[in-house]
Amino acid sequence: MMIETARQRPRVEGGREEEILEATVAVLAELGYDRLTMDAVATMAKASKATLYRRWSTKADLVVDAISRAKGCPIPEDVDTGSLRGDLIAMSCGDGGFTDELPMSVIAGLVTALHRDTDLQKAFQERFLAPRQDISVGVYQRAVARGEIGPDIDIEMLSVTLPAVIVHQAYILGQQPTEDLILRVIDNIILPAARGSQAS
């Protein structure tokens, strides 16, 4: 079943929608996507299951809405620090970044389901990943304009390297993302790669 767009869904009155979204994020982080149920979210949010189904027709619909809009999973702020290194640190270590425990727990709860549920995968990419990727692309485009990135560099590949390494460390090796780890990746991988043939 295709996930409905926000404009097609009826609203939930007042602050109840925000409470339900926050409860969904909390249940997802604790139980993961496969074990999350509408009943569990309703219990956490102190709402009726009927209230949830009036607004979200499927579990995937509710979860994607929650991770895209809940306060617990903010989009990292697009801060222009004047340098690629500064921008990457600000993006990765602030609210919604890799050191923010809740968003990382939420992603962990979705990893296996994303491979099996095509509707969930599509909505996740469009509504959760896309805004974050736009910020990342902006960071690298500014670096190109400042001359920090060599002309022979594959910007598209470079822009996904930091998250790829962090996700590997977190979900394959079980290493909690820390500011020190992020700095090591930036200083030892991203910046040397960005300079390319300009590097001495």
Side-chain angles (χ1 to χ4, degrees):
M1 180 175 182
M2 293 302 294
I3 293 176
E4 298 173 286
T5 64
R7 284 179 295 184
Q8 293 173 319
R9 296 188 298 258
R11 305 299 295 178
V12 173
E13 292 298 322
R16 292 301 289 143
E17 181 171 84
E18 185 175 307
E19 292 170 2
I20 291 169
L21 295 178
E22 294 296 333
T24 303
V25 168
V27 174
L28 179 62
E30 180 182 352
L31 301 180
Y33 183 81
D34 290 335
R35 293 172 58 200
L36 179 148
T37 64
M38 295 295 234
D39 280 326
V41 173
T43 298
M44 174 75 74
K46 296 181 174 61
S48 72
K49 193 162 65 169
T51 297
L52 270 62
Y53 276 114
R54 279 197 301 270
R55 177 69 172 87
W56 301 277
S57 60
T58 67
K59 179 171 78 169
D61 187 25
L62 170 61
V63 166
V64 172
D65 210 20
I67 64 173
S68 301
R69 298 173 51 222
K71 289 182 180 178
C73 293
I75 297 176
E77 190 174 355
D78 187 11
V79 178
D80 185 353
T81 66
S83 73
L84 176 58
R85 185 178 192 273
D87 286 354
L88 291 174
I89 292 171
M91 179 176 64
S92 302
C93 298
D95 290 344
F98 299 122
T99 56
D100 200 333
E101 184 176 347
L102 183 56
M104 291 299 287
S105 298
V106 165
I107 300 303
L110 286 173
V111 166
T112 56
L114 285 169
H115 292 289
R116 297 192 309 269
D117 189 324
T118 55
D119 283 347
L120 175 66
Q121 183 183 74
K122 182 174 185 293
F124 177 79
Q125 290 173 345
E126 291 177 353
R127 293 161 56 189
F128 184 85
L129 281 183
R132 289 159 175 80
Q133 289 173 332
D134 287 345
I135 291 174
S136 180
V137 168
V139 164
Y140 286 93
Q141 286 176 339
R142 289 196 299 266
V144 169
R146 287 191 296 257
E148 293 182 273
I149 295 179
D152 56 338
I153 301 304
D154 183 341
I155 300 299
E156 182 179 352
M157 184 60 65
L158 186 63
S159 69
V160 300
T161 301
L162 176 58
V165 173
I166 296 302
V167 166
H168 179 271
Q169 294 292 109
Y171 302 136
I172 304 300
L173 301 182
Q175 183 174 351
Q176 181 67 29
T178 62
E179 186 169 341
D180 178 66
L181 173 61
I182 290 166
L183 289 175
R184 286 169 56 203
V185 177
I186 292 172
D187 291 336
N188 295 305
I189 300 175
I190 304 298
L191 296 182
R195 288 191 293 269
S197 60
Q198 295 179 347
S200 56

